[in-house]
Amino acid sequence: MEGMANTRLTTANWLRIRDFLRADPRVYIKDESECRNSIEAIVWINRTGEPWRDLPEKFGKSNSMFRRFTRWKGNGGWERMYLHFIEDPALLSFV
């Protein structure tokens, strides 16, 4: 199923998401490439409907990706991102 979903962010879209995340005091970005990869992993899960354990290795450890997803969910990060990009359909499809 991996080839069925476009899960890669364009550089322009990543930069907009990164800037949003940097401005959010409740989100910590240690390594930008790791953060981008995590977002792409989460999008892959969302678009394919596959369980976390089936996350392709190219995204990294599924447990690490899941922990980031649940941490941001718990602190409202995904909701804030959704509301921020609600007027931008191209970017909203990744949130």
Side-chain angles (χ1 to χ4, degrees):
M1 292 193 104
E2 183 178 341
M4 295 176 60
N6 177 19
T7 59
R8 294 299 185 183
L9 293 167
T10 65
T11 300
N13 283 348
W14 161 245
L15 293 174
R16 292 181 60 211
I17 290 171
R18 182 206 62 193
D19 291 346
F20 169 80
L21 294 173
R22 281 184 172 171
D24 189 329
R26 291 173 276 184
V27 174
Y28 173 67
I29 300 177
K30 179 180 180 180
D31 177 278
E32 284 187 24
S33 64
E34 181 181 311
C35 183
R36 179 178 180 165
N37 195 55
S38 295
I39 290 174
E40 290 176 344
I42 292 162
V43 171
W44 186 89
I45 291 292
N46 186 46
R47 290 198 175 167
T48 63
E50 294 292 322
W52 286 98
R53 69 179 173 273
D54 292 341
L55 185 70
E57 289 182 17
K58 69 180 180 181
F59 292 114
K61 295 180 181 179
S62 61
N63 190 44
S64 297
M65 300 303 125
F66 177 74
R67 283 195 326 259
R68 180 172 287 198
F69 169 76
T70 56
R71 186 172 56 246
W72 288 5
K73 182 179 178 186
N75 73 20
W78 292 111
E79 182 178 0
R80 289 188 304 279
M81 194 181 317
Y82 175 82
L83 293 173
H84 182 80
F85 293 115
I86 199 164
E87 300 295 327
D88 188 342
L91 208 50
L92 189 60
S93 68
F94 283 97
V95 178

